[in-house]
Amino acid sequence: MNSHHPLFEEYVRYETRRQFFKRGASFIGTAALAMLAPNLVMAGGKKKPAASASLAALGPHFAPKAKNIIYLHMVGGPSQMDLYDYKPVMQEYFDKDLPESVRMGQRLTTMTSGQARFPIAPSMFKFAQHGKSGMWVSELLPWTSKMVDDMCFVRSMHTEAINHEPAISYMQTGNQITGRPCLGSWMSYGLGSLNQNLPTFVVLVAQPTNTEQVQAISGRLWSSGFLPGEHAGVSFRTSGDPILFINNPPGVPSQVRRKTLDGLKSLNEFNFRQVGDPETHTRIQQFELAFRMQSSVPELTHIAAEPESTYALYGEDAKKPGTFANTALLARRMVERGVRFVQIYHNNWDTHANVAGRLPMQCKDVDQACYGLIQDLKQRGLLDSTLVVWGGEFGRTIYSQGGLSKENYGRDHHPRCFTMWMAGGGTRPGTIYGETDDFSYNIVKDPVHIHDFHATVLHLLGFDHERFSYRFQGLDQRLTGVEPAHIIPALIG
């Protein structure tokens, strides 16, 4: 094929103005680079075919403690004072106004800023201390309370974002503005794949039992942003076929599909040589991976082969497609098979009302499954190298949104403090880090910003967050941004 081939001529005819100038800029830059660095041209004056060079992983800066991550994001913002941040003094403040000396004029959402008052709503749930660490845990989490000495709690997380979309984006990508690479994409870019037959980064969206107030979960949360497209997350469906259209249509044997893909690969390679769009290279890789996944995905998702002892760990819900327990079990199976990063989203933690009715159901969805996941990884020798992260995008307010009674209340968004936990992957088990005031409103000891959290996670993966970057729009872009970020040594084992 040559530049006069009718397929290429058709491509050029429909090329947009923006694509033309982008392509032209690339040619000018390449010519200038060749003049400045002639040694980049291969002997004999022939350039190495760009399409044949796979984008290799960067590699860690130092020996990593974790080689896999399972990130459990509780969409909506779990209520820290009802789960992990025990505040017994608040029982004396029931229905009293939040002191202005505590709020200090801090920003509120439009959902409560118009309230005439901000009545304090102490947690209606009982707490008890557990383990050698003495971590206080709510009665809603009986399974989690059994493993607190395997976990590392951070009770002093904070963020600037107060609404869901920018807050989730901030937590996942390090920036409130969407379009940046998420943590899973950065891990894929930095460490590369551990397998040939499954994606490096997989996303699962679990279905909550209660759906009173779910938030939108969109593909931009697992986008590769300005990183090459091959580092984007691959979303698996939690019911039906895990990936649509991955299987051959009726009447199309594997030999025909293979021949079709070979033809597409030739066309894409020709396109790449002529146009130089890196996304064409991504398309080639994704077609080839999809073909291999025709055999690897059915084996991965065949959880009926798991022994009954597995379901005793995760709970019977693990047998039901789409449940959080089911996705947690799939996450373990993925890590076993070399998937670097598994992102699980569980919705409906946005408890603006009916905490009494919704929060117990939310906790029941995830409590035993989290316990089962960590114990399963531990007994298989995978926990030391697998970092498990649990948390939301912000916390909840100590004051009630809407009506307040001893039996029920609601809580608004609160970015000033919230709780997350980690386990395995080089974290320090039995750690309780950070402290908030008696109102669980402000941090009084050891604050951890989102960028600090990201810097610490990158350190566990073997990266210096200040050196781990990607050149885009003239800047060395980083997950932790340009503001100072600090690793938290106390969280690292």
Side-chain angles (χ1 to χ4, degrees):
M1 298 176 74
N2 56 50
S3 59
H4 297 294
H5 192 281
L7 286 176
F8 182 70
E9 291 177 354
E10 183 178 2
Y11 177 88
V12 172
R13 187 160 57 250
Y14 290 105
E15 186 178 34
T16 66
R17 181 173 177 270
R18 178 173 294 180
Q19 288 171 332
F20 172 78
F21 281 114
K22 181 179 178 182
R23 184 160 61 92
S26 298
F27 291 158
I28 293 169
T30 301
L33 184 61
M35 291 175 65
L36 293 171
N39 59 321
L40 292 180
V41 179
M42 296 175 63
K46 294 180 180 179
K47 291 165 60 177
K48 183 178 180 181
S52 67
S54 178
L55 298 172
L58 219 61
H61 298 138
F62 46 85
K65 293 177 180 288
K67 67 177 184 180
N68 305 88
I69 292 181
I70 300 174
Y71 195 124
L72 313 172
H73 188 92
M74 308 294 108
V75 180
S79 173
Q80 74 278 8
M81 71 282 294
D82 289 308
L83 300 178
Y84 295 117
D85 201 10
Y86 182 44
K87 299 299 176 186
V89 176
M90 290 297 94
Q91 299 299 327
E92 304 169 12
Y93 282 78
F94 176 78
D95 202 25
K96 294 182 180 179
D97 289 340
L98 177 71
E100 183 55 37
S101 59
V102 174
R103 181 189 162 195
M104 296 184 291
Q106 293 169 12
R107 178 188 177 194
L108 306 178
T109 75
T110 55
M111 291 171 284
T112 55
S113 60
Q115 287 187 183
R117 53 190 298 260
F118 303 103
I120 288 174
S123 179
M124 67 178 73
F125 305 108
K126 297 177 182 177
F127 278 72
Q129 284 183 291
H130 298 274
K132 295 179 182 178
S133 65
M135 177 65 188
W136 289 94
V137 182
S138 167
E139 63 180 330
L140 296 178
L141 299 166
W143 289 92
T144 302
S145 65
K146 297 178 182 181
M147 60 173 183
V148 292
D149 289 337
D150 291 328
M151 303 162 75
C152 175
F153 292 90
V154 183
R155 297 190 296 194
S156 53
M157 291 292 304
H158 64 102
T159 176
E160 291 82 32
I162 200 171
N163 292 310
H164 294 290
E165 185 70 14
I168 296 174
S169 178
Y170 205 5
M171 196 73 237
Q172 298 285 302
T173 72
N175 198 295
Q176 295 187 50
I177 301 171
T178 58
R180 302 294 183 107
C182 62
L183 180 57
S185 296
W186 279 108
M187 186 177 185
S188 172
Y189 164 65
L191 295 181
S193 178
L194 287 170
N195 77 92
Q196 293 295 317
N197 301 316
L198 289 169
T200 305
F201 171 21
V202 172
V203 178
L204 297 165
V205 180
Q207 298 299 315
T209 302
N210 185 296
T211 55
E212 284 183 41
Q213 193 161 1
V214 298
Q215 297 298 319
I217 302 174
S218 65
R220 59 177 170 262
L221 292 176
W222 50 91
S223 162
S224 60
F226 46 71
L227 293 178
E230 65 186 85
H231 302 299
V234 176
S235 179
F236 276 44
R237 300 199 313 160
T238 49
S239 60
D241 289 337
I243 299 178
L244 289 174
F245 313 119
I246 194 171
N247 294 318
N248 295 336
V252 178
S254 292
Q255 301 93 315
V256 172
R257 176 54 61 92
R258 181 67 264 173
K259 187 175 181 179
T260 302
L261 289 176
D262 288 342
L264 282 171
K265 183 178 180 181
S266 296
L267 288 171
N268 281 323
E269 286 177 341
F270 170 76
N271 189 318
F272 191 96
R273 287 192 298 269
Q274 296 294 331
V275 181
D277 185 355
E279 291 306 308
T280 306
H281 185 269
T282 297
R283 191 180 308 127
I284 295 170
Q285 292 182 311
Q286 297 295 58
F287 276 135
E288 293 300 316
L289 176 60
F291 184 76
R292 296 193 297 272
M293 286 168 63
Q294 287 185 335
S295 58
S296 63
V297 169
E299 186 277 331
L300 164 70
T301 56
H302 183 57
I303 65 170
E306 291 284 343
E308 281 303 314
S309 57
T310 297
Y311 299 111
L313 268 180
Y314 290 83
E316 286 299 307
D317 277 354
K319 296 180 180 179
K320 303 174 185 176
T323 63
F324 180 85
N326 180 263
T327 59
L329 175 54
L330 283 173
R332 186 268 288 166
R333 290 174 64 87
M334 289 179 184
V335 165
E336 278 185 313
R337 288 157 178 78
V339 176
R340 280 280 190 194
F341 194 102
V342 184
Q343 174 74 62
I344 298 177
Y345 293 99
H346 184 256
N347 218 319
N348 196 49
W349 291 85
D350 192 23
T351 49
H352 289 281
N354 191 24
V355 168
R358 292 171 58 192
L359 196 57
M361 298 177 76
Q362 295 296 109
C363 290
K364 189 175 186 299
D365 278 353
V366 306
D367 183 34
Q368 184 176 354
C370 288
Y371 173 83
L373 174 62
I374 290 176
Q375 302 312 308
D376 201 5
L377 291 170
K378 190 176 181 181
Q379 68 187 16
R380 292 170 186 269
L382 294 170
L383 187 60
D384 288 345
S385 60
T386 303
L387 175 64
V388 181
V389 179
W390 183 100
E393 61 268 29
F394 42 54
R396 315 301 298 190
T397 58
I398 190 65
Y399 62 80
S400 180
Q401 177 177 348
L404 168 65
S405 69
K406 290 280 189 178
E407 293 74 35
N408 212 345
Y409 46 80
R411 299 194 188 279
D412 199 5
H413 308 167
H414 188 60
R416 301 293 298 179
C417 61
F418 59 104
T419 299
M420 294 182 68
W421 59 255
M422 298 182 285
T427 56
R428 183 171 295 172
T431 298
I432 305 170
Y433 189 82
E435 187 177 333
T436 61
D437 60 20
D438 287 338
F439 298 82
S440 192
Y441 207 90
N442 296 300
I443 296 168
V444 296
K445 182 181 178 183
D446 297 328
V448 179
H449 188 268
I450 286 176
H451 289 323
D452 301 330
F453 175 77
H454 285 159
T456 304
V457 169
L458 290 179
H459 181 85
L460 293 171
L461 295 175
F463 292 104
D464 177 346
H465 72 96
E466 293 184 336
R467 294 162 53 204
F468 186 41
S469 63
Y470 185 86
R471 193 76 172 174
F472 178 68
Q473 292 183 339
L475 297 175
D476 292 325
Q477 306 280 355
R478 304 194 311 231
L479 173 65
T480 52
V482 297
E483 296 293 329
H486 308 282
I487 296 165
I488 310 298
L491 306 179
I492 300 172

